[in-house]
Amino acid sequence: MNSLEILTLTPLAAGLMLLFLHEIVPNNTREKATELIRYANLGIAIILFLLATQIGFETDWIDTWAAGNFGGQNAYVLESTPVSLISSIGVTWHIGIDALSFPMVWLTTLLIPISMLVQWDAEKGAQFHSLILIMEGALLGVFVVLDLFMFYAFWELTLVPMFFLILVWGGADRRYAAMKFFIYTFSASILMLIGILIVYFHSAPAGDFTGTLTGHHFDMVSLMQQSSLIDSAGLRMVVFLLLLVGFATKMPSVPVHTWLPDAHVQAPTAGSMLLAGVMLKMGAYGFLRIAVSFFPQETVTMIPLLVFLGMASLFYGAWVCLGQTNLKRMVAYSSVSHMGLIFLGIATMQPLGIAGALFMMFAHGLISPLLFAVCGSFKHHYHTLEIGSMRGLAHHSPFMAGHMMLGWMASLGLPLLAGFVAEVAIMIAFWMTFGWWVLIPALTLILTAGYYLWSMQRTIFEGSDPHRGILPDTMHGEEPRDITWHENVGMFILGALAILFGILPAIFFDMMSNWSSGLVSEVLIDALTQLEVTP
Amino acid sequence: MNIESPLLASPLLGEVLRPEMTILIGIVLLIVVPNLGNATIRIPMTKFRIPVFLGGRRFTATSDPLIPGVISMFVLLLSMAASLMTFVDGHELVNVCISASGAIQQGCTGSDYILRSDPYSRLFTTIFFFALLLGTAAMINRMPAFVDAKAPHPDDTGATRIHAIRRLLNNRRQGDFHLLILFVALGMSIVALSTHLFLLFIGLELASLAIYVLVAFMKEDETSGEAATKYFLTGSVASAITLYGMSLLYVWSGSASNYATASLSLVGPNGLAATWQAMDSIDPLAAIGFGMVLVGFGFKISAVPFHFAAPDAYSGTSAPMALILATASKAMGFAALIRILIVMAMPEYGAEATWLILVGILSVVTMTWGNLAALSTENPKRMLAYSSVAHAGYLLAALAALGSGMAGAATSRLLVTAVVFHLLVLSFFKSGAFLVLTLTEMKGDDTNKMESLYGLGRRDPIMAAAMFVFMLALAGVPPLSGFLSKFLVIDGIVTASTASGSLSAGGAIEWLSSVHWVFWLAVAMAVNSALSLFYYLRIGQVMFFETPRSIRPLPEAPMIRIAVILCLFLTVLAGLGPFSQTLVDMATMAAQELLRV
């Protein structure tokens, strides 16, 4: 077992065990057990974060792929020895990470303890925190496996803990939201599965990976190296579109985004943080890892579609944000808007643009959890999410107001904060490829600034009485409080990292641009020259 | 003295048929042991009395009502182990045939055998014995025996009286139930072993008649009599049609004037398979006979339109019996159907089978009808019955792909493997689902309403979680075993239908028009699987998110709980890892053996 396998399998095993443990302890010790299980979950999550950090430090991410071998053999760090799982159909336990997946892995291990911390006092804490740990295992699995079948299995597995998090700990309308979330994303991934199966049926035998009965395999590395994966151009396009639907729904992109606002508004804070922070990125990750890498030609052909989807998400998300009165719903739509930027970054077909998209995935993964944590504590302490029902937050809860301000600023792309780096990279690349069309996304960012500043003004500052502010009716005379220490710690870490990666983006940006130039120069280049698109 | 007994003529016979012999011994024991007593016979004219041990005042030790259950489980366990021996490396009697005279043919080189003990038949007998074992285990708790049951006190009235009477009744019928179960086991294994249609029919009837009685067995339930009547009437009509079909085949196999060559054996120079192959164009007599035979097996596997009795039978009878109907009985139908379709009426490679269109249409209608009906029912047992119909459709799709004549040797093997493996794993998760239903119906809840499952997650979290896993496996969610079996079927169909090498066609439309139409069966199967998710997940939804209608915990029932946990482990392990590979290898051995004939 190498350290990556430990990292992936520990949370699943530990989470399931702790969940089960809570069921079997006798009733009179249950209180104590709940407390212990919570600490155990947090402890394991922190240890895993340290392990991921150590993996990050001891690896040289720049040279993970050799020239001419992008995504192929030895292009992954900590690649495990393949173990046959279902040898009859060629399913293998084969994991490894590269510059595309490591930032996501690190982000996941970071967000898990923070989301536990932010909702430390959740009801039924033992189950809550164990589910989050199981969620971590499923998410890490998606990012590390190099086998299409296991990718799909982990992809679906992430739905289960999230479904229960929304359903059991969610808001008033949680049942509807959980069902919608499940059915919507599940249907989309069925389409993705069909795409994966068509790829599977076209895989050529590849040594030990090959299924003993079927003669095909699911191994991504071998598939990357297989020349002419699917001969029929029409079928290739079908598969690409099937995969695109699956991934775009997860991201989510307009017009398949409608599950997201409902799920976010009803989800518990920790659930929202993971949903926005990591789960949405699965879509972008899968798109780059599978759809773009396996079907470069179709990607290039479909650039107009990608641009359209990106623009539509970016603009529509921002436009809808302007009209929101619910704080959490606004943040949710802002996620749709930012995910649009990822499509735009990929569509530029520039190493810089793709690296910008990757950095956007990462930066949004830091910032949006911060936003949702703020929304969560706002709801927790003021029992409402209505923008404008509360004025003068800065007076009553200065820490919450401070975190809110930092988060809002980072999200709207203030220089020296992480979001800015990504936006600038994507805009420059967009200009290089599409020229003055860049004005559309650039001007849309003004809308972003608009809705954030407006909501901030109406929540944090404004108040008829500068010393009292306006308290929402839902307080029922309760004294306003500031955030608790554990919420504060969680938000502080996220805010500090948003600043750190705004000042020193090179920590991840270098390896991301290295990976992106690999993708462009090794995978996409043929398709680009063939279609006379200049990178 | 020269005894021409087959048993003595070939001592190997007992070894080859060890599972069946074990069951026969079990049947004898079940009859004898509870009746042991102190009866004596007085030698005429004397005062000497010779004890005969049968009848009289029964011994306390042997008249224990728990004994029949123990014997039956023990016998089924031994038979299952004996069946599994075939798959152990280095086992000598892997492939043995038995002729009508009792002669043993190792390697099945002869042509006049009527029973064939090979991996194919032994895998099926394993499935039967396992499913029957689970049913028996469940029944031991469902219909518990009480050592200290007493006749009701004359003053007792109402519920107390009924309770006492029921306990006595349960004790009385222990022997009957387990005896019938063993007869089912014997009949089913004859079906799996026989390569002779008449013998096959005898096995089928032996099993069916016992099952008719078993369906009606819990006669204190109002519905079980109705269920059994429906099942019996439909089933006996189906059997009659099968028998008539067989007689037509018999007539057809001989020539009009010379019946010496007429035969119902599938193998051999005069066998049905050879006659079928020699036929230039399809003979109406053969076609009608063949079609009629299919009707009978269509009933057993509950394919549309012969399925109408199945939902009533499943929902009317007790859950353990529904388990046996859904797994063992269905596997028996398929064991025979595959033999008939593949061994007897399989065309040469490249030619379409005569039954292709029939089975293809049957398949798509069956799976769609089953799923649509399951979607609209609010009765868990009925839902499982319709899901069983749908699964029959999936397996028929695999058989259709075999009949398309497009499947090469490897693909044919894959398809048969998929069917056999599916039936094998079905006996894990379908059984598991019925076992959980057994638990819910024991305390008198009406399991024919979805309400009986409401809030099961709160009443018994572990059983509810197990039930949820079974539902996911039935739906075919990866990486459970239900997924693997469905995947193998789809893989086989796709490989067979696209075998014409047209993968390089330019456009998607051209590609789709170049594949054999059997391909659309795989598509229908995928669509149906997605559709089926709704009703399977509905069970999960009501278990976890509805308020329970009853707060009573589920009964203790240790045997059922053990069986459920066993099924749970098997369901998960059969989908992933080395154990799954072992099972697939066993199924592959079976497929290889079947296709070799």
Side-chain angles (χ1 to χ4, degrees):
Chain A
M1 286 250 282
N2 66 28
S3 50
L4 190 60
E5 282 177 302
I6 295 172
L7 188 67
T8 318
L9 295 177
T10 313
L12 276 180
L16 279 175
M17 235 146 47
L18 291 171
L19 195 63
F20 186 67
L21 189 67
H22 181 258
E23 295 298 320
I24 59 168
V25 289
N27 274 330
N28 50 356
T29 53
R30 193 157 277 191
E31 293 265 303
K32 206 168 215 174
T34 302
E35 204 57 23
L36 277 177
I37 289 171
R38 263 205 290 205
Y39 278 107
N41 277 310
L42 183 67
I44 292 169
I46 290 176
I47 291 170
L48 291 173
F49 168 67
L50 295 177
L51 182 62
T53 315
Q54 191 224 354
I55 291 177
F57 272 121
E58 71 183 16
T59 313
D60 180 12
W61 295 98
I62 303 297
D63 294 323
T64 49
W65 53 277
N69 198 22
F70 181 80
Q73 238 78 49
N74 303 325
Y76 299 91
V77 178
L78 290 174
E79 213 174 320
S80 69
T81 356
V83 180
S84 194
L85 279 186
I86 313 178
S87 44
S88 48
I89 60 173
V91 174
T92 323
W93 174 252
H94 184 198
I95 64 175
I97 43 177
D98 60 2
L100 172 63
S101 45
F102 178 70
M104 289 297 111
V105 168
W106 190 76
L107 184 67
T108 310
T109 56
L110 169 74
L111 285 182
I112 295 291
I114 290 182
S115 57
M116 283 180 182
L117 211 53
V118 166
Q119 236 181 338
W120 183 245
D121 46 5
E123 275 177 60
K124 301 183 211 159
Q127 287 109 314
F128 187 77
H129 288 97
S130 305
L131 272 180
I132 290 186
L133 203 62
I134 295 174
M135 181 85 191
E136 173 170 27
L139 289 169
L140 289 177
V142 170
F143 292 125
V144 300
V145 289
L146 297 176
D147 181 282
L148 281 177
F149 179 91
M150 290 313 286
F151 175 82
Y152 179 76
F154 277 119
W155 177 279
E156 297 294 30
L157 185 60
T158 57
L159 290 186
V160 180
M162 185 50 81
F163 177 73
F164 282 106
L165 284 179
I166 297 178
L167 194 92
V168 182
W169 289 272
D173 210 6
R174 54 183 184 268
R175 191 168 293 188
Y176 169 76
M179 279 296 173
K180 186 172 180 180
F181 163 74
F182 194 90
I183 293 174
Y184 216 110
T185 50
F186 193 83
S187 322
S189 33
I190 295 270
L191 296 181
M192 183 183 95
L193 177 66
I194 296 173
I196 288 179
L197 287 187
I198 298 178
V199 170
Y200 170 76
F201 285 123
H202 289 84
S203 61
D208 288 343
F209 293 116
T210 316
T212 52
L213 273 180
T214 58
H216 299 295
H217 66 88
F218 280 107
D219 189 58
M220 284 194 212
V221 179
S222 314
L223 283 169
M224 272 296 280
Q225 288 176 325
Q226 184 178 335
S227 55
S228 71
L229 188 55
I230 299 174
D231 288 332
S232 156
L235 190 61
R236 254 194 334 250
M237 184 54 86
V238 171
V239 177
F240 178 77
L241 290 178
L242 284 172
L243 293 174
L244 181 64
V245 173
F247 296 133
T249 307
K250 200 66 150 200
M251 267 177 75
S253 159
V254 172
V256 279
H257 66 286
T258 56
W259 62 271
L260 182 84
D262 286 313
H264 265 313
V265 172
Q266 300 303 330
T269 309
S272 286
M273 287 169 71
L274 293 177
L275 194 60
V278 196
M279 254 181 113
L280 304 189
K281 313 305 183 298
M282 281 162 45
Y285 170 82
F287 184 66
L288 284 167
R289 175 73 89 211
I290 298 171
V292 176
S293 300
F294 288 1
F295 305 103
Q297 205 125 25
E298 282 60 38
T299 316
V300 175
T301 321
M302 280 291 146
I303 285 178
L305 179 67
L306 294 183
V307 173
F308 173 75
L309 287 179
M311 292 269 203
S313 306
L314 180 64
F315 184 79
Y316 179 78
W319 185 253
V320 173
C321 275
L322 278 175
Q324 291 306 318
T325 56
N326 183 311
L327 205 58
K328 220 171 172 186
R329 199 169 264 271
M330 186 196 86
V331 175
Y333 273 111
S334 88
S335 287
V336 176
S337 180
H338 283 103
M339 291 299 111
L341 275 176
I342 292 182
F343 264 149
L344 290 185
I346 296 170
T348 60
M349 296 292 147
Q350 305 277 358
L352 181 64
I354 296 175
L358 293 185
F359 202 77
M360 188 50 142
M361 284 160 67
F362 177 72
H364 185 257
L366 285 177
I367 296 163
S368 67
L370 177 57
L371 306 182
F372 279 111
V374 169
C375 290
S377 60
F378 189 78
K379 168 89 181 168
H380 189 68
H381 296 297
Y382 293 96
H383 313 296
T384 180
L385 281 168
E386 284 299 300
I387 300 172
S389 69
M390 158 83 204
R391 303 274 163 110
L393 185 69
H395 174 73
H396 296 296
S397 313
F399 275 111
M400 197 197 294
H403 287 304
M404 187 189 242
M405 189 147 169
L406 178 66
W408 267 217
M409 287 301 167
S411 189
L412 66 80
L414 196 75
L416 289 185
L417 293 173
F420 174 72
V421 182
E423 280 178 15
V424 162
I426 292 172
M427 291 303 156
I428 294 174
F430 203 80
W431 183 78
M432 285 155 72
T433 308
F434 300 103
W436 289 107
W437 286 103
V438 75
L439 281 179
I440 301 179
L443 291 177
T444 310
L445 292 180
I446 294 180
L447 285 185
T448 313
Y451 62 77
Y452 273 132
L453 290 175
W454 194 29
S455 69
M456 227 156 66
Q457 179 221 356
R458 294 205 296 165
T459 322
I460 301 184
F461 302 116
E462 206 175 75
S464 50
D465 177 356
H467 299 294
R468 295 275 311 153
I470 298 175
L471 288 177
D473 304 336
T474 45
M475 294 286 288
H476 299 301
E478 209 180 305
E479 268 305 298
R481 278 170 300 146
D482 206 347
I483 49 180
T484 52
W485 68 267
H486 45 80
E487 284 171 332
N488 209 346
V489 170
M491 292 184 205
F492 180 79
I493 296 172
L494 288 174
L497 286 172
I499 297 172
L500 174 72
F501 283 96
I503 298 171
L504 292 172
I507 302 172
F508 278 140
F509 201 81
D510 280 356
M511 63 179 175
M512 286 169 175
S513 45
N514 183 264
W515 189 88
S516 312
S517 45
L519 184 72
V520 173
S521 63
E522 304 254 330
V523 177
L524 292 168
I525 191 72
D526 289 343
L528 288 172
T529 41
Q530 206 171 333
L531 289 159
E532 293 171 356
V533 180
T534 38
Chain B
M1 211 165 82
N2 190 10
I3 303 171
E4 279 295 333
S5 154
L7 264 179
L8 291 184
S10 46
L12 271 180
L13 194 64
E15 209 167 319
V16 175
L17 295 180
R18 190 175 280 157
E20 287 70 32
M21 295 295 172
T22 318
I23 290 174
L24 273 177
I25 294 169
I27 289 175
V28 173
L29 281 180
L30 269 182
I31 297 172
V32 170
V33 171
N35 288 316
L36 287 180
N38 62 0
T40 51
I41 293 179
R42 186 168 62 90
I43 298 175
M45 320 281 199
T46 60
K47 280 186 172 177
F48 293 112
R49 302 186 78 92
I50 309 168
V52 289
F53 299 115
L54 272 178
R57 190 181 176 78
R58 297 192 293 155
F59 300 131
T60 346
T62 51
S63 63
D64 191 321
L66 292 169
I67 282 184
V70 174
I71 293 178
S72 150
M73 282 192 70
F74 196 62
V75 163
L76 285 171
L77 207 60
L78 278 182
S79 311
M80 195 174 85
S83 299
L84 280 173
M85 280 304 288
T86 316
F87 299 96
V88 176
D89 272 346
H91 185 70
E92 283 170 10
L93 300 168
V94 173
N95 193 9
V96 187
C97 289
I98 299 159
S99 72
S101 62
I104 299 281
Q105 303 166 353
Q106 288 219 38
C108 289
T109 42
S111 58
D112 59 338
Y113 53 86
I114 56 168
L115 288 176
R116 187 183 166 103
S117 164
D118 60 10
Y120 175 79
S121 46
R122 282 304 166 206
L123 191 61
F124 271 104
T125 55
T126 312
I127 298 174
F128 303 150
F129 298 147
F130 181 70
L132 289 168
L133 187 63
L134 292 178
T136 314
M139 218 53 179
I140 283 178
N141 285 143
R142 173 81 171 78
M143 192 182 71
F146 294 98
V147 184
D148 54 348
K150 287 196 182 66
H153 194 268
D155 300 341
D156 286 347
T157 47
T160 332
R161 191 177 172 80
I162 290 174
H163 188 65
I165 291 177
R166 179 154 305 169
R167 279 159 70 111
L168 275 184
L169 176 67
N170 277 346
N171 282 0
R172 273 298 180 80
R173 57 187 178 178
Q174 291 291 328
D176 307 356
F177 178 82
H178 295 290
L179 197 58
L180 286 167
I181 285 279
L182 289 192
F183 274 119
V184 174
L186 191 62
M188 284 182 170
S189 65
I190 291 176
V191 171
L193 289 167
S194 61
T195 57
H196 188 283
L197 281 191
F198 193 71
L199 199 57
L200 198 148
F201 182 76
I202 289 176
L204 191 73
E205 280 307 282
L206 181 58
S208 299
L209 288 172
I211 285 178
Y212 299 143
V213 182
L214 283 172
V215 170
F217 203 77
M218 303 300 281
K219 55 188 173 214
E220 66 271 25
D221 297 342
E222 285 162 14
T223 48
S224 75
E226 183 199 336
T229 313
K230 280 182 183 163
Y231 195 64
F232 169 67
L233 289 177
T234 337
S236 49
V237 170
S239 298
I241 294 177
T242 310
L243 194 58
Y244 190 54
M246 285 180 184
S247 67
L248 291 184
L249 283 179
Y250 185 74
V251 171
W252 162 76
S253 72
S255 60
S257 55
N258 177 14
Y259 283 99
T261 59
S263 159
L264 272 179
S265 174
L266 289 175
V267 291
N270 287 331
L272 286 173
T275 322
W276 190 277
Q277 302 290 347
M279 186 167 59
D280 292 329
S281 61
I282 187 78
D283 189 332
L285 192 60
I288 294 171
F290 184 69
M292 286 178 140
V293 172
L294 288 193
V295 170
F297 296 111
F299 171 77
K300 279 287 161 225
I301 63 170
S302 52
V304 175
F306 316 114
H307 72 288
F308 287 107
D312 285 334
Y314 283 45
S315 57
T317 189
S318 57
M321 269 320 295
L323 181 166
I324 290 170
L325 288 179
T327 54
S329 182
K330 171 185 268 221
M332 171 177 78
F334 266 105
L337 192 65
I338 296 172
R339 270 256 153 89
I340 292 177
L341 290 183
I342 309 303
V343 177
M344 172 180 152
M346 187 71 179
E348 297 287 308
Y349 176 72
E352 282 186 2
T354 36
W355 43 265
L356 171 63
I357 296 197
L358 186 69
V359 173
I361 292 175
L362 219 57
S363 149
V364 71
V365 173
T366 301
M367 63 174 97
T368 316
W369 188 318
N371 277 323
L372 290 181
L375 266 178
S376 56
T377 180
E378 273 291 295
N379 172 345
K381 273 185 183 169
R382 252 190 133 72
M383 188 217 90
L384 283 176
Y386 280 121
S387 108
S388 167
V389 172
H391 279 264
Y394 303 150
L395 296 182
L396 284 175
L399 295 182
L402 270 168
S404 70
M406 310 270 287
T411 316
S412 301
R413 200 172 61 227
L414 170 62
L415 280 163
V416 178
T417 306
V419 175
V420 179
F421 182 71
H422 189 89
L423 290 167
L424 177 64
V425 293
L426 203 62
S427 71
F428 302 155
F429 44 80
K430 190 124 222 174
S431 304
F434 277 115
L435 286 170
V436 177
L437 287 188
T438 312
L439 277 178
T440 61
E441 79 177 3
M442 275 171 68
K443 282 276 170 78
D445 296 352
D446 188 0
T447 32
N448 284 333
K449 296 225 174 63
M450 201 53 107
E451 279 83 2
S452 63
L453 289 176
Y454 276 17
L456 195 67
R458 219 164 298 169
R459 288 169 70 193
D460 197 323
I462 294 181
M463 285 302 120
M467 183 73 170
F468 189 56
V469 172
F470 297 142
M471 288 300 122
L472 292 182
L474 278 168
V477 171
L480 298 169
S481 48
F483 169 80
L484 181 56
S485 61
K486 249 185 217 176
F487 184 89
L488 288 175
V489 172
I490 290 187
D491 187 294
I493 298 175
V494 170
T495 317
S497 57
T498 55
S500 48
S502 52
L503 285 179
S504 53
I509 305 295
E510 293 151 55
W511 180 78
L512 281 179
S513 57
S514 70
V515 297
H516 193 272
W517 62 265
V518 170
F519 177 77
W520 294 102
L521 290 181
V523 175
M525 203 173 144
V527 172
N528 266 295
S529 295
L531 194 68
S532 70
L533 258 177
F534 284 98
Y535 60 84
Y536 290 125
L537 288 181
R538 166 130 173 79
I539 297 273
Q541 188 232 333
V542 301
M543 282 194 308
F544 293 109
F545 310 129
E546 296 287 348
T547 341
R549 289 293 146 92
S550 141
I551 48 158
R552 279 177 306 184
L554 292 184
E556 286 286 324
M559 291 298 271
I560 302 183
R561 278 170 195 270
I562 293 171
V564 169
I565 299 298
L566 177 72
C567 285
L568 182 65
F569 272 102
L570 288 173
T571 303
V572 176
L573 290 179
L576 204 66
F579 181 67
S580 117
Q581 190 54 30
T582 314
L583 293 185
V584 171
D585 285 343
M586 278 164 61
T588 314
M589 268 171 85
Q592 230 156 5
E593 215 39 64
L594 178 82
L595 293 166
R596 210 168 60 97
V597 178

